[in-house]
Amino acid sequence: MSADKQITLNIEIPDGNANSVWIVGRDPDWKGNVIVCPRPCLKTARLMVHFSQPGVYILRKVVPLQLPQIYIGIADPIKERLNNHDANKEFWEEVFVCVGESGGKLNIAHIQHLEARLITMAKLANLCVLNQIPPNSPSIDKAVESYAENYLTQLIFVLRVLGVNIFEVSPTTAEEKSGGKIFILNSKK
């Protein structure tokens, strides 16, 4: 992504309440949406058409001064799996549902690839508590992989803007983790 290219994100808030559900898209180069849904809003949000599509979801709980707790999964449709998580997973406070737009719909091969890549990236970045073993990436042809990787690049950008900064290590952190030299100067008075 070029620094001189303007990027526009569209945020639709269906009920007009900023503390409710957001539908976030990126124009003009992405055929996807991220639906940001606080847990208390899930009952009404799962009636949205987006929750009837296949996709990837990220459950998150943020605790001050701690790494966020994360669970990444896939489902087709999303709402069935989220109903299960609402009843059986206590930890989470919000979900980020990642789906394709009409005309850019994700299929099962896409979402399996995205899930495997997101879990692997989160584990490598080590910026969250993620108690998952990355699934094996599905065997997919180059065209499907290319589409999924392009979707992933755009998705990571949107998630970063939304404050989900768990997939990429910043250059400073990478240098510190790779054993880059850090000098500490102490002076005696």
Side-chain angles (χ1 to χ4, degrees), residues 47-63:
L47 300 174
M48 297 169 59
V49 66
H50 303 87
F51 286 72
S52 296
Q53 296 180 25
V56 180
Y57 60 89
I58 302 165
L59 303 177
R60 179 173 81 166
K61 178 178 184 175
V62 176
V63 178

Side-chain angles (χ1 to χ4, degrees), residues 60-70 91 93-94 163:
R60 179 173 81 166
K61 178 178 184 175
V62 176
V63 178
L65 303 176
Q66 293 181 19
L67 293 175
Q69 294 177 36
I70 298 289
F91 83 90
E93 298 170 337
E94 62 188 336

Side-chain angles (χ1 to χ4, degrees), residues 104-170:
K105 194 171 185 180
L106 299 174
N107 64 37
I108 193 70
H110 294 131
I111 64 174
Q112 287 174 338
H113 180 82
L114 292 168
E115 177 191 36
R117 291 279 285 124
L118 287 169
I119 292 171
T120 299
M121 291 171 72
K123 283 213 172 269
L124 288 172
N126 199 28
L127 298 173
C128 65
V129 176
L130 180 74
N131 293 318
Q132 289 178 264
I133 297 170
N136 293 327
S137 292
S139 295
I140 54 177
D141 66 40
K142 291 292 181 194
V144 172
E145 181 179 7
S146 176
Y147 181 88
E149 284 295 316
N150 183 55
Y151 182 96
L152 178 65
T153 299
Q154 309 307 322
L155 174 62
I156 294 297
F157 179 87
V158 172
L159 290 170
R160 188 179 326 120
V161 170
L162 294 172
V164 183
N165 300 312
I166 61 168
F167 299 108
E168 299 174 312
V169 178
S170 69

